[in-house]
Amino acid sequence: MSSNVSAFDPIKYKATTREQWQTAAEAWHRWGPTLQQWLGEATNVMLDMAGVGTGQRVLDVAAGAGEQTLVTAKRVGPSGYVLATDISSNVLDFALNAARQAGLENVETKVMDGENLEVPEGSFDAVVSRVGLIYFPDQHKALTGMKRVLKPGGRVAAITYSLPENNKFFSVPVSIIRRRANLAPPLPGQPGPFSLGGPGVLEAAYDKAGFHDIQVRLVPSPLRMPSAADCVRFERESFGALHQMLAGLPEAERPSVWDEIEQELKKFEGPDGFVGPCEMVVAAGVKP
């Protein structure tokens, strides 16, 4: 066994991530209306930048409970097709059920690792990924895999968080948990919410993967909820990244961590309830 205990283990990380999403699937589905309100604008920007339209075949990577999958399926219409993939089978069950309840027969789901896309080369017009790429241990492998499955001239579009200081609804809990659990800063190249958020970082990742005509847009995406307590409940139930960070802290200490997070997030409460600062980066690139 390596003496470097701080070394990042992508295999262990991926297994933990899968388990978390298996557990959080129901909550992620239940919070669907919140996700739609919060990320709706960024989702539409992503689909616009991916050039998604009627009759297209679209691959949705790290689709989660599929709220954005349904938006995509409505855009491509009955003559189009959307394949939603995720590492978690439970979360995809919710996605497929939601599609069928919405009367969408043009959606299929398949359990798949976003770094190993088991679909034929050149078989999709567009690939989209909403807040998924940031959590892949090998983001370059993920992007080159997405490029492989595109037809020539097809586009990949992804949404990530920008800088921590522009996403305090999430970076405040992260910093509190990091301090309370005595966690070291993330290692270079380690996946996480802000791993692609710096200026030019996502653009450089696309460039390295061989995409052309790369475009990047910032989309203000404030998280609006009745109170900070509601925000904490949302994050506590459905944000796997926070649970992963809390894992090393004794169970008995965790409630006080969430209490501290809630107190800190109360500074974002006002006459309109809780408005959590959030800014998304949407990037798109074309396969030559």
Side-chain angles (χ1 to χ4, degrees):
M1 185 176 162
S2 167
S3 59
N4 182 4
V5 291
S6 67
F8 174 67
D9 182 344
I11 295 168
K12 183 182 175 189
Y13 167 86
K14 211 174 274 192
T16 309
T17 301
R18 180 186 287 109
E19 281 313 305
Q20 274 161 355
W21 281 112
Q22 290 289 73
T23 306
E26 185 277 328
W28 200 244
H29 168 70
R30 183 161 32 85
W31 287 99
T34 298
L35 291 165
Q36 188 171 18
Q37 186 182 25
W38 166 38
L39 295 178
E41 185 184 351
T43 299
N44 285 323
V45 169
M46 172 179 75
L47 296 176
D48 288 344
M49 289 173 71
V52 172
T54 306
Q56 288 194 327
R57 291 173 54 83
V58 181
L59 178 65
D60 187 355
V61 178
E67 186 271 318
Q68 76 292 332
T69 308
L70 272 60
V71 177
T72 308
K74 288 168 186 169
R75 268 210 193 202
V76 300
S79 61
Y81 169 76
V82 183
L83 177 61
T85 65
D86 201 278
I87 203 168
S88 159
S89 59
N90 288 0
V91 82
L92 287 177
D93 288 344
F94 284 107
L96 188 60
N97 192 40
R100 296 300 179 255
Q101 283 183 346
L104 296 166
E105 297 296 329
N106 59 347
V107 174
E108 283 186 28
T109 61
K110 192 170 183 185
V111 176
M112 209 177 287
D113 182 337
E115 291 176 10
N116 297 290
L117 297 171
E118 297 158 0
V119 297
E121 184 173 344
S123 55
F124 286 91
D125 299 294
V127 180
V128 296
S129 187
R130 186 173 84 175
V131 200
L133 194 57
I134 46 177
Y135 295 119
F136 292 169
D138 192 338
Q139 293 160 346
H140 180 67
K141 187 179 181 187
L143 281 168
T144 53
M146 291 175 186
K147 190 181 78 171
R148 181 188 70 82
V149 307
L150 279 175
K151 297 172 184 174
R155 294 168 185 264
V156 165
I159 301 175
T160 72
Y161 298 104
S162 69
L163 295 165
E165 53 264 37
N166 297 334
N167 288 279
K168 292 203 169 169
F169 88 101
F170 200 176
S171 61
V172 164
V174 164
S175 61
I176 289 172
I177 292 173
R178 199 173 282 291
R179 174 172 50 77
R180 292 284 296 270
N182 290 317
L183 295 174
L187 298 162
Q190 187 169 341
F194 309 112
S195 57
L196 291 167
V201 174
L202 193 51
E203 198 169 354
Y206 271 72
D207 184 57
K208 187 183 171 192
F211 288 98
H212 291 197
D213 302 328
I214 301 160
Q215 294 179 304
V216 179
R217 270 187 64 183
L218 292 175
V219 182
S221 305
L223 176 62
R224 300 177 188 276
M225 305 197 85
S227 69
D230 289 293
C231 176
V232 169
R233 192 159 60 88
F234 172 45
E235 294 183 352
R236 192 171 179 169
E237 289 183 9
S238 51
F239 278 44
L242 299 180
H243 286 280
Q244 204 149 356
M245 294 174 69
L246 271 169
L249 205 62
E251 194 84 43
E253 287 182 41
R254 294 178 198 174
S256 70
V257 176
W258 290 112
D259 288 344
E260 185 180 341
I261 290 169
E262 184 179 333
Q263 289 309 309
E264 193 64 23
L265 288 177
K266 277 189 172 167
K267 66 170 73 163
F268 302 117
E269 285 183 347
D272 298 323
F274 174 81
V275 183
C278 172
E279 180 181 68
M280 292 298 189
V281 185
V282 189
V286 179
K287 177 176 179 172

